[in-house]
Amino acid sequence: MFFGKLLPQEGNFFEMINEHGKYIAEGSRAFVAMVQAFDDATLRAKHAAEVNAAEKQADRITAEVNRLLHK
């Protein structure tokens, strides 16, 4: 009961953390694919873009969590 009073009332942090984990896993899979296709410049660039996109999404969630925690 006491722990619940410490959590902010706005924002669903558990959903955001789950979504963040989804992007981490997605970026990890893209990184593995990039390493496996390292000899193919086209595939390497494609997978590097996927890693970058997943990282940006995860960073967006991190920024939102930080914003809500400081509110």
Side-chain angles (χ1 to χ4, degrees):
M1 215 46 157
F2 179 73
F3 180 70
K5 292 180 182 183
L6 295 176
L7 290 175
Q9 301 304 310
E10 185 181 326
N12 188 340
F13 290 97
F14 297 110
E15 268 185 31
M16 286 189 268
I17 290 168
N18 282 337
E19 187 177 359
H20 190 268
K22 180 186 84 168
Y23 289 120
I24 290 171
E26 186 179 301
S28 298
R29 284 189 293 271
F31 180 77
V32 168
M34 182 183 70
V35 170
Q36 290 173 338
F38 200 76
D39 291 337
D40 185 333
T42 303
L43 280 177
R44 186 175 64 232
K46 174 187 173 279
H47 295 305
E50 292 169 352
V51 170
N52 191 38
E55 181 181 9
K56 284 183 180 184
Q57 290 293 348
D59 287 347
R60 179 188 56 80
I61 293 169
T62 299
E64 179 65 11
V65 167
N66 283 332
R67 185 188 71 77
L68 289 170
L69 286 172
H70 287 102
K71 191 172 182 183

